[in-house]
Amino acid sequence: YSRDAEREADAESVRLMKAAGLRPDAMVEFFERVQRWKDSDEGRKLGADIDMGIAFSSHPADAERIAFFRAARR
């Protein structure tokens, strides 16, 4: 998978959420929580012990995704 494919998936998720009457705010909160966890002592400790490899390497950075979902709120 490529980052562009993941960006397309994010765009499709926004379309589906809006069609279902849901707001993209949930994704903003999710990625903000993920980032806070990664930055926490626990997240740093576990991150050093776990190689996430391809699971997250093909995804855009959390900050980019937060900005995308924030912009989708409009």
Side-chain angles (χ1 to χ4, degrees), residues 22-54:
L22 303 172
R23 295 179 46 184
D25 293 332
M27 296 304 292
V28 171
E29 179 66 22
F30 171 77
F31 285 114
E32 286 176 341
R33 286 182 184 207
V34 167
Q35 191 60 56
R36 282 193 303 272
W37 180 82
K38 286 180 184 177
D39 293 340
S40 73
D41 289 340
E42 178 187 11
R44 283 192 296 276
K45 181 178 183 258
L46 287 176
D49 297 336
I50 299 171
D51 178 16
M52 297 305 280
I54 192 68

Side-chain angles (χ1 to χ4, degrees), residues 14 28-29 49 58 64 69:
V14 166
V28 171
E29 179 66 22
D49 297 336
S58 64
E64 178 184 337
F69 285 104

